Amino acid sequence: MTTMIQYEVKEGVAIITLNDPDRPMNVVSPEWLDEMIEVIDKVAGDDSVQGAVITSGKAAFMAGADLKGILERMENNITLDEALAFSRHATGMHRKLETCGKPFVAAINGLALGGGYELCLACHHRIVADDPKITLGLPEVTVGLLAGSGGTQRLPRMIGVQASAPMIVEGKTVRPAEALKLGMVDAVVPADQLLDAAIKAIKDGIDPVRAWDKKGYQIKEGKGLLNPIEGFSYSVATGKIAAKTRHNYPAPIVNLDAIFEGTVLPFDKALEIETKHFARLMTSPEARNIIRTSFVNKGRADKLFRRPEGYDKATFKKVGVLGAGLMGSGIAHVTAKAGIEVVLLDSKIEFAEKGKNYSEKIVKKAMERGRMTQEKADALLAKITPTVDYADLEGCDLVIEAVFEDIEIKADVTRKAEAVIPETAIYASNTSTLPISDLSVASKRPDRFIGLHFFSPVERMPLIEVISGKDTSEETLAHALDFVGQVRMTPVLVNDSRGFYTSRVFQTFIHEGMKMLEEGIDPAIIENAGKIAGMPIGPLELTDALTIELPWKIVKQSIAAEGDKYTLPCAYNVMKTMVEDQKRIGRRGGGGFYDYPEGGGKTIWPGLKDLYPVAEQQPEVEELVKRYMHIQALETARCLEEGVLTHPADGDLGALLGWGFPAYTGGTLSYIDTVGTRQFVEDCEAMAEQYGARFKPSAWLKDRAERNITFYGPNAG
Ligand code: NAI
């Protein structure tokens, strides 16, 4: 009895329809594999059946592996043997299908990715519907896995090593027309003729024996590394991958190895090699971390899994945006894009209009690139009304304030807006540094006051830090999350605190980099260590881009607010020297740690070596990498301990999407789990001795280490 697969026989051809009743998409799971084995036996054992067509009863053909199921195994510390068995199960089903003696045709009616396309590859013929929305490919590498089930072996044998390598190693996906050109499918037919074409192909006769199962088969580029051209392209490719991934992501090279090692071997031996590589990646912390945060927890956050229960879903129709500067214009754009009416208010009409102009530029570019129709562009722009008149805010369900970072100005606009908007409306501030509970003092209804902290540029940064102040109600939080969902962004939940979560932790990275200057570390090493750690750019360049003035202002603000209670950051002296003495505030001010010549590019500011002479003895790069990663992770743990964060997934997602903490780590807390809590605490204690008290682990963290408590998995606490 199969539950995910429908089976019927039409004109002597078995029609196998994939239709998992419990999921929106068909996925590869062990249960599905068992059902497929049953179905293959049925086809093979029925003399009245000439062959089989596999199609799907859903819009998509098949999405790929059940990543949630895989993650569950990974969280439970899957062993290498278990991973081997898991892989053999899938590979075995596909091989059985391929060698059962009857022809199978894939009738690809929707997207077929990863395991979905691997099923197509195992079939003897592939026909895809002529629908430009369909994508085909093997993107497993992007989640740290291998294109298993024969994917790394069949595709190179079908379209060649050179053509298949980028598909597998970069996880490129293609549309039907390109798939046909590459030889990834055999035919493209109109969607309504797909099934008939597949049945006809079987009737016309499809060879049920694959080329590689015939005697004397030789893959075109089958000498692998023994062939000088192949050997050369392998070396070039591994070099390129290493330069791009800095050895932080094992999957691309392992996929490449599987291709090059497997294609010189007979097919079944090749599958065995592939299985071993698959198991190696399935047990790697990188794959687990990527799947956990970038896939599973990102998906959950997008579905608003942390939304407080018991409140009706809010749908926003009219939103006011106060301040049409850099942030306000971006917020207005994403809101209008989601079909919501926006009132964009500034102190002068030309400022408000300039804010709308920001959207005009974005839609113009999108139209030029063929990504937006005139109609959609017009509709989006028609949603934004620039104004200086608070009366226009009447009827807004939500107001998002993005005026200057000044508590008095913010209080003033809060009062003016609240005088007009309905009692039930939510008032949100996009402040980056001022505590929400301080700002809500100006509000008549602090329970409806919340922080919605967007990132710049808003239209390209999909994260929103949702900050609850001490008076913010659960209902306001629930409805603010509904807004985040409506504009299709990813929320992380944070409680009020100075710098909230992302800015607070991110600063530890740039502070650490600046501190290294003072220690006499070569700026080039400081920067490269940041990149080797996987951060998008080095800390000095990053600080220049933000302006050194910005973190310096935050320090001054914190001193003013907290006085002696505030611990000066390790980069205090460097920031003070650069901003106050040298007047080198960063790129926007003409230069900071770097000079920016007019013709483009950048060079380290020559004056830096006079201020911070480079020491003769330089530390190991690994040590610097460890400092960067540990300090950010430690600060995140503090946020969790203090209740600024209430769920590890928020910390990890915020790290990845908010400031580019590298995906292979799964985020700052997953990083601690990967290092091991005990080891992490030991490292921090040693670093506290060497570099300063900022590395001191708290009693809370030490206790967790002693009891071996992790943030995820069976020991999560
Ligand atoms: P901005 O200086 O580009 O824009 C502020 C806008 O507010 C200007 O157009 C100004 O004319 C307007 N404004 C000032 N006072 C006003 C008033 N009384 N009534 C109406 N409009 C008024 O600043 P930006 O960068 O857009 O920042 C805005 C807020 O967003 C700040 O609170 C900032 O901390 C926060 N933020 C900034 C980020 C960034 O990367 N720039 C990131 C996240 C938050």
Side-chain angles (χ1 to χ4, degrees), residues 148-205:
S149 299
T152 64
Q153 301 309 313
R154 291 191 179 93
L155 193 60
R157 282 168 173 79
M158 278 166 50
I159 69 170
V161 172
Q162 294 291 343
S164 63
M167 301 291 308
I168 295 169
V169 175
E170 293 163 26
K172 256 179 67 179
T173 59
V174 294
R175 311 274 166 188
E178 200 185 345
L180 184 66
K181 227 191 284 165
L182 284 166
M184 289 171 63
V185 295
D186 301 291
V188 181
V189 301
D192 59 354
Q193 293 165 28
L194 182 64
L195 207 57
D196 289 342
I199 295 173
K200 182 169 183 300
I202 295 200
K203 298 214 163 241
D204 288 351

Side-chain angles (χ1 to χ4, degrees), residues 322-329 331 345-348 351-352 390 401-406 409-410 412-413 416 429-434 452-457 546 550:
L322 312 182
L326 177 73
M327 296 306 290
S329 332
I331 296 168
L345 182 145
D346 208 299
S347 52
K348 288 200 173 141
F351 296 161
Y390 278 83
E401 168 277 304
V403 299
F404 295 142
E405 189 75 343
D406 179 304
I409 298 177
K410 286 192 190 289
D412 181 49
V413 300
K416 285 180 178 152
S429 175
N430 180 48
T431 176
S432 43
T433 57
L434 302 167
L452 285 178
H453 181 219
F454 291 76
F455 292 74
S456 168
L546 292 169
L550 183 77

Side-chain angles (χ1 to χ4, degrees), residues 184-377:
M184 289 171 63
V185 295
D186 301 291
V188 181
V189 301
D192 59 354
Q193 293 165 28
L194 182 64
L195 207 57
D196 289 342
I199 295 173
K200 182 169 183 300
I202 295 200
K203 298 214 163 241
D204 288 351
I206 297 270
D207 190 347
V209 183
R210 302 303 289 270
W212 43 89
D213 285 325
K214 291 187 176 159
K215 226 175 153 189
Y217 171 77
Q218 174 79 55
I219 178 173
K220 209 167 62 199
E221 305 148 288
K223 292 209 176 63
L225 300 176
L226 301 177
N227 173 333
I229 297 176
E230 292 301 299
F232 179 69
S233 60
Y234 174 82
S235 316
V236 171
T238 48
K240 272 193 191 158
I241 295 168
K244 205 164 143 193
T245 63
R246 299 176 197 272
H247 296 287
N248 289 325
Y249 297 83
I253 290 189
V254 174
N255 272 279
L256 192 69
D257 286 347
I259 300 171
F260 275 88
E261 291 167 15
T263 46
V264 293
L265 293 169
F267 198 71
D268 285 304
K269 286 249 165 17
L271 288 179
E272 194 48 29
I273 292 280
E274 184 197 78
T275 296
K276 286 184 182 152
H277 283 306
F278 183 93
R280 188 179 143 201
L281 288 179
M282 194 181 179
T283 51
S284 72
E286 291 85 358
R288 181 202 58 208
N289 292 342
I290 294 170
I291 294 173
R292 176 194 289 152
T293 304
S294 304
F295 185 81
V296 175
N297 284 340
K298 160 100 172 45
R300 285 185 184 141
D302 290 344
K303 289 201 185 100
L304 312 179
F305 86 120
R306 310 265 339 266
R307 184 188 187 277
E309 280 172 21
Y311 304 101
D312 287 345
K313 183 173 182 252
T315 305
F316 294 85
K317 295 200 184 71
K318 184 174 174 188
V319 170
V321 178
L322 312 182
L326 177 73
M327 296 306 290
S329 332
I331 296 168
H333 178 78
V334 297
T335 308
K337 195 172 174 207
I340 304 170
E341 199 186 320
V342 180
V343 177
L344 183 55
L345 182 145
D346 208 299
S347 52
K348 288 200 173 141
I349 191 68
E350 54 268 35
F351 296 161
E353 275 163 359
K354 191 169 166 231
K356 178 167 178 174
N357 186 249
Y358 184 82
S359 265
E360 286 161 357
K361 283 188 191 141
I362 297 175
V363 299
K364 189 163 168 250
K365 222 181 240 167
M367 280 197 302
E368 280 165 8
R369 291 186 181 156
R371 295 209 193 114
M372 195 181 253
T373 59
Q374 183 75 50
E375 201 187 347
K376 282 220 166 113

